[in-house]
Coordinates of all heavy atoms in Angstrom, one line a residue:
G286 N 17.6 -25.2 29.6 CA 18.1 -24.3 30.7 C 17.1 -24.5 31.9 O 17.6 -24.6 33.0
R287 N 15.9 -24.5 31.6 CA 14.9 -24.6 32.7 C 15.0 -26.0 33.4 O 14.8 -26.1 34.6 CB 13.5 -24.4 32.2 CG 13.2 -22.9 32.0 CD 11.8 -22.7 31.5 NE 11.4 -21.3 31.6 CZ 10.3 -20.8 31.2 NH1 9.3 -21.6 30.7 NH2 10.0 -19.5 31.2
A288 N 15.3 -27.0 32.6 CA 15.4 -28.4 33.2 C 16.6 -28.5 34.2 O 16.5 -29.4 35.0 CB 15.7 -29.4 32.0
Q289 N 17.5 -27.5 34.2 CA 18.6 -27.6 35.2 C 18.1 -27.2 36.6 O 18.7 -27.6 37.6 CB 19.7 -26.6 34.8 CG 20.3 -26.9 33.4 CD 20.6 -28.3 33.1 OE1 21.5 -28.9 33.8 NE2 19.9 -28.9 32.2
K290 N 17.0 -26.4 36.6 CA 16.4 -26.0 37.9 C 17.4 -25.4 38.9 O 17.5 -25.7 40.0 CB 15.7 -27.2 38.6 CG 14.6 -27.8 37.8 CD 13.8 -28.9 38.5 CE 12.7 -29.5 37.7 NZ 11.7 -28.6 37.2
R291 N 18.2 -24.5 38.3 CA 19.3 -23.8 39.1 C 18.8 -22.5 39.7 O 19.5 -21.9 40.5 CB 20.5 -23.7 38.2 CG 21.2 -25.0 37.8 CD 22.4 -24.8 36.9 NE 23.4 -24.0 37.5 CZ 24.4 -24.4 38.3 NH1 24.4 -25.7 38.7 NH2 25.3 -23.6 38.7
G292 N 17.7 -22.0 39.2 CA 17.2 -20.7 39.8 C 16.5 -20.9 41.1 O 15.6 -21.8 41.2
S293 N 16.8 -20.1 42.1 CA 16.2 -20.2 43.4 C 14.9 -19.4 43.5 O 14.0 -19.7 44.3 CB 17.2 -19.8 44.5 OG 17.7 -18.5 44.3
L294 N 14.8 -18.4 42.7 CA 13.6 -17.5 42.7 C 12.7 -17.6 41.5 O 11.5 -17.2 41.5 CB 14.0 -16.0 43.0 CG 14.7 -15.7 44.3 CD1 15.0 -14.2 44.3 CD2 13.9 -16.1 45.5
G295 N 13.3 -18.0 40.3 CA 12.5 -18.0 39.1 C 13.2 -18.8 38.0 O 14.3 -19.3 38.2
D296 N 12.5 -18.9 36.9 CA 13.0 -19.7 35.8 C 13.2 -18.9 34.5 O 13.1 -19.4 33.4 CB 12.1 -20.9 35.5 CG 10.7 -20.5 35.1 OD1 10.4 -19.2 35.0 OD2 9.9 -21.4 34.8
N297 N 13.5 -17.6 34.6 CA 13.9 -16.8 33.4 C 15.4 -17.2 33.2 O 16.3 -16.6 33.8 CB 13.7 -15.3 33.7 CG 12.3 -14.9 34.0 OD1 12.0 -14.4 35.1 ND2 11.4 -15.2 33.0
V298 N 15.6 -18.0 32.2 CA 17.0 -18.6 32.0 C 17.7 -18.1 30.8 O 18.9 -18.4 30.6 CB 16.9 -20.2 31.9 CG1 16.4 -20.8 33.2 CG2 16.1 -20.6 30.7
M299 N 17.0 -17.3 30.0 CA 17.7 -16.9 28.7 C 18.3 -15.5 28.8 O 17.7 -14.6 29.5 CB 16.6 -16.9 27.6 CG 16.0 -18.2 27.3 SD 17.1 -19.5 26.9 CE 17.6 -19.0 25.2
Y300 N 19.4 -15.3 28.1 CA 20.1 -14.0 28.0 C 20.3 -13.7 26.6 O 21.1 -14.5 25.9 CB 21.3 -14.0 28.8 CG 22.2 -12.7 28.7 CD1 21.7 -11.5 28.3 CD2 23.5 -12.7 29.0 CE1 22.4 -10.4 28.2 CE2 24.3 -11.6 28.9 CZ 23.8 -10.4 28.5 OH 24.5 -9.3 28.4
F301 N 19.7 -12.7 26.0 CA 19.9 -12.4 24.6 C 20.6 -11.0 24.4 O 20.4 -10.1 25.2 CB 18.5 -12.2 23.9 CG 17.7 -13.5 23.9 CD1 16.5 -13.6 24.5 CD2 18.2 -14.6 23.2 CE1 15.8 -14.8 24.5 CE2 17.4 -15.8 23.1 CZ 16.2 -15.9 23.8
E302 N 21.4 -11.0 23.3 CA 22.0 -9.7 22.9 C 21.6 -9.4 21.5 O 21.5 -10.3 20.7 CB 23.5 -9.7 23.1 CG 23.9 -9.7 24.6 CD 25.4 -9.4 24.8 OE1 26.2 -9.5 23.8 OE2 25.7 -9.0 25.9
T303 N 21.5 -8.1 21.3 CA 21.0 -7.6 20.0 C 21.8 -6.3 19.6 O 22.7 -5.9 20.4 CB 19.5 -7.2 20.0 OG1 19.4 -6.0 20.9 CG2 18.7 -8.3 20.5
G304 N 21.6 -5.7 18.5 CA 22.3 -4.5 18.1 C 21.8 -4.0 16.7 O 21.7 -4.8 15.8
Q305 N 21.5 -2.7 16.7 CA 21.1 -2.1 15.4 C 22.2 -2.4 14.3 O 23.4 -2.0 14.6 CB 20.8 -0.6 15.5 CG 19.6 -0.3 16.3 CD 19.1 1.1 16.1 OE1 19.4 1.8 15.1 NE2 18.4 1.6 17.1
G306 N 21.8 -2.9 13.2 CA 22.8 -3.1 12.1 C 23.1 -4.6 11.9 O 23.7 -4.9 10.9
S307 N 22.7 -5.5 12.8 CA 23.1 -6.8 12.7 C 22.5 -7.5 11.4 O 23.2 -8.3 10.7 CB 22.7 -7.6 13.9 OG 21.3 -7.6 14.1
A308 N 21.3 -7.2 11.1 CA 20.6 -7.8 9.9 C 21.3 -7.2 8.6 O 21.5 -7.9 7.6 CB 19.1 -7.5 9.9
L309 N 21.6 -5.9 8.6 CA 22.2 -5.3 7.5 C 23.6 -5.9 7.3 O 24.0 -6.2 6.1 CB 22.3 -3.8 7.7 CG 23.1 -3.0 6.6 CD1 22.5 -3.3 5.2 CD2 23.1 -1.5 6.9
S310 N 24.4 -6.1 8.3 CA 25.7 -6.7 8.2 C 25.7 -8.1 7.7 O 26.6 -8.6 7.1 CB 26.4 -6.6 9.6 OG 25.9 -7.5 10.5
A311 N 24.5 -8.8 7.9 CA 24.4 -10.2 7.4 C 23.7 -10.2 6.0 O 23.4 -11.3 5.5 CB 23.5 -11.0 8.3
N312 N 23.5 -9.0 5.4 CA 22.7 -8.9 4.1 C 21.4 -9.6 4.2 O 21.0 -10.3 3.3 CB 23.6 -9.4 3.0 CG 23.0 -9.0 1.6 OD1 22.4 -7.9 1.5 ND2 23.2 -9.8 0.6
A313 N 20.7 -9.3 5.3 CA 19.4 -10.0 5.6 C 18.4 -9.0 6.1 O 17.6 -9.4 7.0 CB 19.7 -11.1 6.6
H314 N 18.4 -7.8 5.6 CA 17.6 -6.7 6.1 C 16.3 -6.5 5.3 O 15.4 -5.8 5.7 CB 18.4 -5.4 6.2 CG 18.9 -5.0 4.8 ND1 18.2 -4.0 4.1 CD2 19.9 -5.3 4.1 CE1 18.9 -3.8 3.0 NE2 19.9 -4.6 3.0
H315 N 16.2 -7.1 4.1 CA 14.9 -7.0 3.3 C 14.5 -5.6 3.0 O 13.3 -5.3 2.8 CB 13.8 -7.7 4.0 CG 14.0 -9.2 4.2 ND1 13.7 -10.1 3.2 CD2 14.5 -9.9 5.3 CE1 14.0 -11.3 3.7 NE2 14.5 -11.2 4.9
G316 N 15.5 -4.6 3.0 CA 15.1 -3.2 2.7 C 14.5 -2.5 3.9 O 13.9 -1.4 3.7
V317 N 14.5 -3.1 5.1 CA 13.9 -2.5 6.3 C 14.9 -1.7 7.0 O 16.1 -2.1 7.1 CB 13.3 -3.6 7.1 CG1 12.6 -3.0 8.4 CG2 12.3 -4.4 6.3
D318 N 14.6 -0.6 7.6 CA 15.5 0.2 8.4 C 16.0 -0.5 9.6 O 15.3 -1.4 10.1 CB 14.9 1.6 8.8 CG 13.8 1.4 9.8 OD1 12.7 1.2 9.4 OD2 14.1 1.6 11.0
Q319 N 17.2 -0.2 10.1 CA 17.8 -1.0 11.1 C 17.1 -0.9 12.4 O 17.2 -1.8 13.2 CB 19.3 -0.7 11.2 CG 19.7 0.7 11.7 CD 21.2 1.0 11.7 OE1 21.9 0.5 10.8 NE2 21.7 1.7 12.7
Q320 N 16.5 0.2 12.7 CA 15.9 0.3 14.0 C 14.6 -0.5 14.1 O 14.3 -1.1 15.1 CB 15.5 1.8 14.3 CG 15.1 2.0 15.8 CD 13.6 2.5 15.8 OE1 13.1 3.1 14.9 NE2 13.0 2.2 17.0
T321 N 13.8 -0.6 13.0 CA 12.7 -1.4 13.0 C 13.1 -2.9 13.1 O 12.4 -3.7 13.8 CB 11.9 -1.2 11.7 OG1 11.4 0.2 11.6 CG2 10.7 -2.1 11.6
L322 N 14.2 -3.3 12.4 CA 14.6 -4.6 12.6 C 15.1 -4.9 14.0 O 14.9 -6.1 14.5 CB 15.8 -4.9 11.6 CG 15.3 -4.9 10.1 CD1 16.5 -5.1 9.2 CD2 14.3 -6.0 9.8
E323 N 15.7 -4.0 14.6 CA 16.1 -4.2 16.0 C 14.9 -4.4 16.9 O 14.9 -5.3 17.8 CB 16.9 -2.9 16.5 CG 17.2 -2.9 18.0 CD 18.3 -3.9 18.4 OE1 18.9 -4.6 17.5 OE2 18.6 -4.0 19.6
A324 N 13.8 -3.7 16.7 CA 12.6 -3.9 17.5 C 12.0 -5.3 17.2 O 11.5 -6.0 18.1 CB 11.6 -2.8 17.1
R325 N 12.2 -5.8 15.9 CA 11.7 -7.1 15.6 C 12.5 -8.2 16.4 O 12.0 -9.3 16.8 CB 11.8 -7.4 14.1 CG 10.6 -6.7 13.3 CD 10.9 -6.8 11.8 NE 11.1 -8.1 11.3 CZ 10.2 -8.9 10.8 NH1 8.9 -8.5 10.8 NH2 10.5 -10.1 10.4
A326 N 13.8 -7.9 16.6 CA 14.6 -8.8 17.4 C 14.0 -9.0 18.9 O 14.1 -10.0 19.5 CB 16.0 -8.4 17.5
Y327 N 13.4 -7.9 19.3 CA 12.8 -7.9 20.7 C 11.6 -8.8 20.7 O 11.3 -9.4 21.8 CB 12.5 -6.5 21.1 CG 13.6 -5.6 21.2 CD1 13.5 -4.2 21.1 CD2 14.9 -6.0 21.3 CE1 14.5 -3.3 21.1 CE2 16.0 -5.2 21.4 CZ 15.8 -3.8 21.3 OH 16.9 -2.9 21.3
A328 N 10.9 -8.9 19.6 CA 9.8 -9.9 19.5 C 10.3 -11.3 19.6 O 9.6 -12.2 20.2 CB 9.0 -9.7 18.2
V329 N 11.4 -11.6 19.0 CA 12.1 -12.9 19.2 C 12.4 -13.1 20.7 O 12.0 -14.2 21.2 CB 13.3 -13.0 18.3 CG1 14.0 -14.4 18.6 CG2 13.0 -12.9 16.8
A330 N 13.0 -12.2 21.3 CA 13.4 -12.3 22.7 C 12.2 -12.5 23.6 O 12.2 -13.4 24.5 CB 14.2 -11.1 23.2
R331 N 11.1 -11.8 23.3 CA 9.9 -11.8 24.2 C 9.3 -13.2 24.2 O 8.7 -13.6 25.2 CB 8.9 -10.8 23.6 CG 7.7 -10.6 24.4 CD 6.8 -9.5 24.0 NE 6.3 -9.6 22.6 CZ 5.6 -8.7 21.9 NH1 5.2 -7.6 22.6 NH2 5.2 -8.9 20.7
A332 N 9.4 -13.9 23.1 CA 8.8 -15.2 23.1 C 9.4 -16.2 24.0 O 8.8 -17.3 24.3 CB 8.9 -15.8 21.6
Y333 N 10.6 -15.9 24.6 CA 11.3 -16.9 25.4 C 11.5 -16.5 26.8 O 12.3 -17.0 27.6 CB 12.6 -17.3 24.7 CG 12.4 -17.8 23.3 CD1 12.6 -17.0 22.2 CD2 12.0 -19.1 23.1 CE1 12.3 -17.5 20.9 CE2 11.7 -19.6 21.9 CZ 11.9 -18.8 20.8 OH 11.6 -19.3 19.5
E334 N 10.8 -15.4 27.2 CA 10.8 -15.0 28.6 C 12.2 -14.9 29.2 O 12.5 -15.5 30.2 CB 9.9 -15.9 29.5 CG 8.4 -15.9 29.0 CD 7.6 -16.9 29.7 OE1 8.0 -18.1 29.9 OE2 6.5 -16.6 30.2
P335 N 13.0 -14.0 28.7 CA 14.4 -14.0 29.2 C 14.6 -13.2 30.5 O 13.7 -12.4 30.9 CB 15.1 -13.2 28.1 CG 14.0 -12.3 27.5 CD 12.8 -13.1 27.6
L336 N 15.7 -13.6 31.2 CA 16.0 -12.8 32.4 C 16.5 -11.4 32.0 O 16.2 -10.4 32.6 CB 17.1 -13.5 33.2 CG 17.5 -12.8 34.5 CD1 16.5 -13.0 35.6 CD2 18.9 -13.3 34.9
L337 N 17.3 -11.4 30.9 CA 18.0 -10.2 30.5 C 18.0 -10.1 28.9 O 18.2 -11.1 28.3 CB 19.5 -10.2 30.9 CG 19.7 -10.4 32.4 CD1 21.2 -10.7 32.7 CD2 19.3 -9.2 33.2
V338 N 17.8 -8.9 28.4 CA 18.1 -8.6 27.0 C 18.9 -7.4 26.9 O 18.7 -6.4 27.6 CB 16.7 -8.3 26.2 CG1 17.0 -8.1 24.8 CG2 15.8 -9.5 26.4
N339 N 20.0 -7.4 26.1 CA 21.0 -6.4 26.1 C 21.2 -5.8 24.7 O 21.5 -6.6 23.8 CB 22.3 -6.9 26.6 CG 23.4 -5.9 26.6 OD1 23.2 -4.7 26.7 ND2 24.7 -6.4 26.4
S340 N 20.9 -4.6 24.5 CA 21.2 -3.9 23.2 C 22.6 -3.4 23.3 O 22.9 -2.5 24.1 CB 20.3 -2.7 23.0 OG 20.8 -1.9 21.9
V341 N 23.5 -4.0 22.5 CA 24.9 -3.6 22.5 C 25.0 -2.5 21.5 O 25.5 -2.7 20.4 CB 25.8 -4.8 22.2 CG1 27.3 -4.5 22.4 CG2 25.4 -6.0 23.0
V342 N 24.6 -1.3 21.9 CA 24.2 -0.3 21.0 C 25.2 0.2 20.0 O 25.0 0.4 18.8 CB 23.5 0.8 21.7 CG1 24.4 1.6 22.6 CG2 22.8 1.8 20.8
G343 N 26.5 0.4 20.5 CA 27.5 1.0 19.6 C 28.5 0.1 19.2 O 29.6 0.5 18.6
F344 N 28.3 -1.2 19.4 CA 29.4 -2.2 19.2 C 29.7 -2.5 17.8 O 30.8 -2.8 17.4 CB 29.0 -3.5 20.0 CG 30.1 -4.5 19.9 CD1 31.3 -4.4 20.6 CD2 29.9 -5.7 19.1 CE1 32.3 -5.4 20.6 CE2 30.9 -6.6 19.0 CZ 32.1 -6.5 19.8
I345 N 28.7 -2.5 16.9 CA 28.9 -3.0 15.5 C 29.8 -2.0 14.8 O 30.5 -2.4 13.9 CB 27.6 -3.2 14.8 CG1 26.8 -4.3 15.6 CG2 27.8 -3.7 13.4 CD1 25.5 -4.7 15.0
G346 N 29.7 -0.7 15.1 CA 30.7 0.2 14.5 C 30.0 1.4 13.8 O 28.8 1.5 13.6
P347 N 30.9 2.4 13.3 CA 30.4 3.6 12.7 C 29.7 3.4 11.4 O 29.1 4.3 10.9 CB 31.6 4.5 12.6 CG 32.8 3.5 12.6 CD 32.4 2.4 13.5
E348 N 29.9 2.2 10.8 CA 29.2 2.0 9.5 C 27.7 1.9 9.8 O 26.9 2.1 8.8 CB 29.6 0.6 8.9 CG 31.1 0.5 8.6 CD 32.0 0.2 9.8 OE1 31.4 0.0 10.9 OE2 33.2 0.1 9.6
Y349 N 27.3 1.7 11.0 CA 25.8 1.6 11.3 C 25.3 2.7 12.2 O 24.2 3.2 12.1 CB 25.6 0.2 12.0 CG 26.1 -0.9 11.1 CD1 27.4 -1.4 11.3 CD2 25.4 -1.4 10.0 CE1 27.9 -2.4 10.4 CE2 25.8 -2.3 9.2 CZ 27.1 -2.9 9.4 OH 27.6 -3.8 8.5
L350 N 26.2 3.1 13.2 CA 25.9 4.3 14.0 C 27.2 5.1 14.0 O 28.1 4.7 14.7 CB 25.5 3.9 15.4 CG 24.1 3.1 15.5 CD1 24.0 2.5 16.9 CD2 23.0 4.0 15.1
Y351 N 27.2 6.2 13.3 CA 28.4 6.9 13.0 C 29.1 7.6 14.2 O 30.3 7.5 14.3 CB 28.1 7.9 11.9 CG 29.4 8.7 11.5 CD1 30.4 8.1 10.8 CD2 29.5 10.0 11.9 CE1 31.6 8.8 10.4 CE2 30.7 10.7 11.5 CZ 31.7 10.1 10.8 OH 32.8 10.8 10.5
D352 N 28.3 8.3 15.0 CA 28.9 9.1 16.0 C 28.1 9.1 17.3 O 27.1 8.3 17.4 CB 29.0 10.6 15.5 CG 27.7 11.2 15.1 OD1 26.6 10.6 15.4 OD2 27.7 12.3 14.4
G353 N 28.5 9.9 18.2 CA 27.9 9.9 19.5 C 26.4 10.2 19.5 O 25.6 9.6 20.2
K354 N 26.1 11.2 18.6 CA 24.7 11.6 18.5 C 23.8 10.4 18.1 O 22.7 10.1 18.6 CB 24.5 12.8 17.6 CG 23.1 13.2 17.5 CD 22.9 14.5 16.6 CE 21.5 15.0 16.6 NZ 21.3 16.2 15.8
E355 N 24.3 9.7 17.0 CA 23.5 8.5 16.5 C 23.4 7.4 17.6 O 22.4 6.8 17.7 CB 24.1 8.0 15.2 CG 23.9 9.0 14.1 CD 24.4 8.4 12.7 OE1 24.7 7.2 12.6 OE2 24.4 9.2 11.7
I356 N 24.5 7.2 18.3 CA 24.5 6.1 19.3 C 23.6 6.5 20.4 O 22.8 5.6 20.9 CB 26.0 5.9 19.9 CG1 26.9 5.3 18.8 CG2 25.9 5.0 21.1 CD1 28.3 5.3 19.1
I357 N 23.6 7.7 20.9 CA 22.7 8.2 21.9 C 21.2 8.0 21.5 O 20.4 7.4 22.3 CB 22.9 9.6 22.4 CG1 24.3 9.7 23.1 CG2 21.8 10.2 23.2 CD1 24.8 11.1 23.3
R358 N 20.9 8.4 20.3 CA 19.5 8.3 19.9 C 19.1 6.8 19.8 O 18.0 6.4 20.2 CB 19.3 9.0 18.5 CG 18.0 8.8 17.8 CD 16.8 9.5 18.6 NE 15.5 9.0 18.1 CZ 14.4 9.6 18.4 NH1 14.3 10.6 19.2 NH2 13.3 9.1 17.9
A359 N 20.0 6.0 19.2 CA 19.7 4.6 19.1 C 19.5 3.9 20.4 O 18.6 3.1 20.6 CB 20.8 3.9 18.3
G360 N 20.3 4.2 21.4 CA 20.2 3.7 22.7 C 18.9 4.0 23.4 O 18.2 3.1 24.0
L361 N 18.4 5.2 23.2 CA 17.1 5.6 23.8 C 16.0 4.9 23.0 O 15.0 4.5 23.6 CB 17.0 7.1 23.7 CG 17.9 7.9 24.6 CD1 17.7 9.4 24.4 CD2 17.7 7.5 26.1

Side-chain angles (χ1 to χ4, degrees):
R287 285 182 168 177
Q289 306 310 297
K290 299 185 182 302
R291 294 176 59 82
S293 56
L294 295 183
D296 62 358
N297 299 119
V298 299
M299 302 300 289
Y300 175 22
F301 295 118
E302 287 194 344
T303 67
Q305 287 195 27
S307 58
L309 175 58
S310 68
N312 195 29
H314 60 99
H315 299 275
V317 181
D318 70 274
Q319 66 183 38
Q320 190 246 334
T321 298
L322 290 178
E323 173 73 2
R325 283 170 55 94
Y327 301 155
V329 174
R331 183 172 63 180
Y333 303 99
E334 299 175 309
L336 181 77
L337 307 166
V338 180
N339 180 29
S340 166
V341 193
V342 66
F344 182 74
I345 301 182
E348 299 85 0
Y349 306 95
L350 295 169
Y351 179 72
D352 58 14
K354 182 175 181 178
E355 291 188 7
I356 292 171
I357 288 170
R358 174 68 190 189
L361 294 175

